[in-house]
C-alpha cells in the first residue's frame, strides 16, 4: 500500500520530466533553425555584395592607364594616341620621297627625327646642296691665282654639287626616325605633343590654366611609357615609385583644371583618353 503510494509520485515526476525534456529539445531545434536561416541569409548577402563589387571593379577604369579594362577604344581614338609615333612609321616606305636634282636624286626618309619639319626639310635637301656647291666654287675661284675660264668653273661647280648630293643622301639616312634610339623616339613624341596641345605661339608656356592640357598630355605619355617598362620589369621598385608620383601629379593638375574651367577639363580628358573616375577621388596605385 505504502509502496504503491510512493510509486505514483515518482511516475508522475518522470512523465513530467519527459514532457519537459521533449519541450526543451523542440525549442532548441527551433532556435537552430532560425540560426540556420539567418546564416543562409547572411551568406547570400555576402555573395551578392561580392558580385556587385566584382562588377564595379570590372567597370572601374585603370588608375594608371585611365581606361576601362577591355575597352581600349577610348585611348586608340583620342588625339594623344593619334599623334604618337606608330610602328608603321618605322617600317621602310614602299615609295620613298625623292628630290630630283641635276646631279642625282636625294632619297628622303618617311619620317624625320630631331624636330625636322617641312621648312627644315626644304632648306636642307633642296637649297643647301646648291648653296654649298656655289660657295665652294666661289671659294676656289677666289683662292686661284690664275684666271679660270668658264668651263673649269662649270666643271668645278658640277663636282661640288655632286658631292653635296652624296652628303645630303648620307645626312638623310642619319636623320631618319628609323635610325633613332629610344630617346630619339621619345623626343619626337614630346615634340608632337607640345605642337598639338600647346597654345599657338606659346609652346612652352605651361603655367597658365589654359595650357594645362599640354602638361597633362606629356605626363600621360610618360606614365604610359613607364607602365610598359614596369610590365616587363616587375621588380623595378624605383620606377614604380616614380609612376605613383606621376599619376598623383597628373590627377592633381587635372583636378585644378576642373576647379578653374569644367568645360576645358572635360575636353582635355577626352583628348588624352582618360575616364573622369581615374583622376577623381582616392587613387590607389
Amino acid at each position: 500500500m505504502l509502496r504503491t503510494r510512493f510509486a505514483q509520485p515518482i511516475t508522475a515526476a518522470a512523465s513530467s520530466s519527459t514532457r519537459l525534456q521533449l519541450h526543451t529539445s523542440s525549442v532548441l531545434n527551433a532556435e537552430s533553425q532560425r540560426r540556420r536561416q539567418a546564416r543562409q541569409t547572411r551568406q547570400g548577402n555576402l555573395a551578392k555584395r561580392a558580385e556587385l563589387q566584382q562588377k564595379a571593379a570590372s567597370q572601374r577604369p585603370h588608375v594608371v592607364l585611365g581606361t576601362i579594362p577591355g575597352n581600349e577604344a577610348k585611348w586608340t581614338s583620342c588625339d594623344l594616341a593619334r599623334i604618337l609615333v606608330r610602328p608603321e612609321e618605322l617600317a621602310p616606305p614602299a615609295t620613298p620621297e625623292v628630290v630630283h636634282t641635276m646631279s642625282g636624286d636625294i632619297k628622303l626618309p618617311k619620317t624625320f627625327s630631331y624636330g625636322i619639319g617641312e621648312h627644315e626639310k626644304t632648306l636642307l635637301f633642296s637649297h643647301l646642296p646648291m648653296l654649298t656647291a656655289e660657295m665652294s666654287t666661289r671659294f676656289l675661284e677666289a683662292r686661284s691665282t690664275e684666271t679660270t675660264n668658264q668651263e673649269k668653273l662649270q666643271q668645278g661647280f658640277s663636282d661640288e654639287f655632286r658631292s653635296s648630293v652624296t652628303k645630303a643622301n648620307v645626312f638623310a639616312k642619319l636623320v631618319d626616325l628609323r635610325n633613332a634610339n629610344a630617346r630619339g623616339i621619345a623626343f619626337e613624341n614630346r615634340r608632337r605633343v607640345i605642337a598639338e596641345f600647346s597654345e599657338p605661339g606659346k609652346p612652352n608656356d605651361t603655367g597658365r590654366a589654359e595650357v594645362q592640357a599640354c602638361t597633362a598630355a606629356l605626363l600621360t605619355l610618360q606614365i604610359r611609357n613607364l607602365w610598359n617598362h614596369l610590365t616587363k620589369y616587375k621588380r623595378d621598385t624605383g620606377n614604380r615609385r616614380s609612376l605613383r608620383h606621376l599619376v598623383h601629379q597628373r590627377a592633381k593638375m587635372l583636378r585644378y583644371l576642373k576647379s578653374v574651367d569644367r568645360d576645358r577639363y572635360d575636353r582635355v580628358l577626352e583628348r588624352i583618353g582618360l575616364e573622369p573616375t581615374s583622376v577623381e577621388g582616392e587613387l590607389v596605385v
Side-chain angles (χ1 to χ4, degrees):
M1 188 81 176
L2 182 61
R3 183 180 300 175
T4 305
R5 291 187 177 183
F6 275 115
Q8 291 178 354
I10 294 173
T11 305
S15 62
S16 62
S17 63
T18 304
R19 289 195 300 269
L20 181 60
Q21 183 178 2
L22 292 174
H23 179 71
T24 305
S25 62
S26 62
V27 171
L28 292 175
N29 291 334
E31 186 177 0
S32 63
Q33 185 177 0
R34 289 196 299 269
R35 289 181 179 178
R36 189 181 304 110
Q37 184 177 2
R39 185 174 64 255
Q40 292 176 356
T41 304
R42 184 169 59 254
Q43 291 177 353
N45 292 336
L46 291 176
K48 187 176 181 180
R49 180 184 300 177
E51 182 181 357
L52 292 176
Q53 290 178 352
Q54 184 178 3
K55 184 178 179 181
S58 62
Q59 297 178 353
R60 186 182 303 118
H62 198 280
V63 67
V64 176
L65 302 179
T67 56
I68 298 176
N71 184 18
E72 295 294 330
K74 189 175 183 64
W75 163 251
T76 55
S77 60
C78 69
D79 293 342
L80 180 57
R82 176 179 53 82
I83 64 174
L84 297 180
V85 176
R86 298 181 299 275
E88 53 267 21
E89 295 186 42
L90 303 179
T95 56
E97 183 180 356
V98 178
V99 176
H100 300 284
T101 63
M102 61 182 181
S103 295
D105 296 336
I106 302 175
K107 296 182 180 180
L108 302 182
K110 184 177 181 180
T111 306
F112 289 92
S113 61
Y114 307 108
I116 298 179
E118 292 295 329
H119 179 67
E120 291 80 9
K121 182 175 70 173
T122 304
L123 292 178
L124 290 173
F125 301 104
S126 295
H127 302 318
L128 185 59
M130 180 71 69
L131 293 176
T132 303
E134 290 181 358
M135 293 299 296
S136 299
T137 304
R138 292 180 181 179
F139 180 74
L140 292 175
E141 183 181 4
R143 291 188 59 183
S144 178
T145 56
E146 300 178 357
T147 304
T148 307
N149 55 20
Q150 191 68 22
E151 185 178 353
K152 290 185 178 181
L153 289 177
Q154 187 67 27
Q155 182 64 32
F157 175 79
S158 300
D159 295 340
E160 292 294 334
F161 190 71
R162 190 179 301 107
S163 176
S164 299
V165 169
T166 303
K167 294 177 182 178
N169 278 304
V170 174
F171 182 71
K173 294 179 181 179
L174 290 176
V175 296
D176 192 346
L177 188 62
R178 292 179 296 165
N179 295 329
N181 54 9
R183 290 187 177 183
I185 295 177
F187 176 85
E188 176 64 18
N189 282 330
R190 288 194 300 269
R191 185 192 65 82
R192 295 183 182 185
V193 170
I194 292 174
E196 177 71 20
F197 288 88
S198 295
E199 292 293 324
K202 295 182 179 180
N204 298 319
D205 187 7
T206 58
R208 298 181 293 116
E210 291 79 3
V211 290
Q212 294 296 322
C214 179
T215 308
L218 289 173
L219 286 175
T220 303
L221 173 61
Q222 191 174 358
I223 287 171
R224 281 190 165 265
N225 291 337
L226 200 55
W227 175 258
N228 293 333
H229 169 77
L230 290 175
T231 53
K232 298 179 182 178
Y233 307 98
K234 300 182 182 299
R235 297 186 179 182
D236 192 352
T237 56
N239 279 325
R240 193 170 297 277
R241 287 192 296 267
S242 301
L243 176 66
R244 187 181 299 112
H245 173 72
L246 291 174
V247 169
H248 287 284
Q249 183 181 359
R250 180 182 64 181
K252 181 179 179 181
M253 182 175 302
L254 290 173
R255 285 196 294 265
Y256 167 73
L257 182 60
K258 179 181 178 181
S259 64
V260 175
D261 191 346
R262 180 58 185 268
D263 294 336
R264 186 172 183 84
Y265 166 78
D266 295 335
R267 291 196 302 271
V268 168
L269 289 183
E270 188 69 24
R271 295 189 67 189
I272 63 179
L274 295 181
E275 295 287 345
T277 51
S278 65
V279 297
E280 299 173 358
E282 183 180 359
L283 303 180
V284 181
V285 184

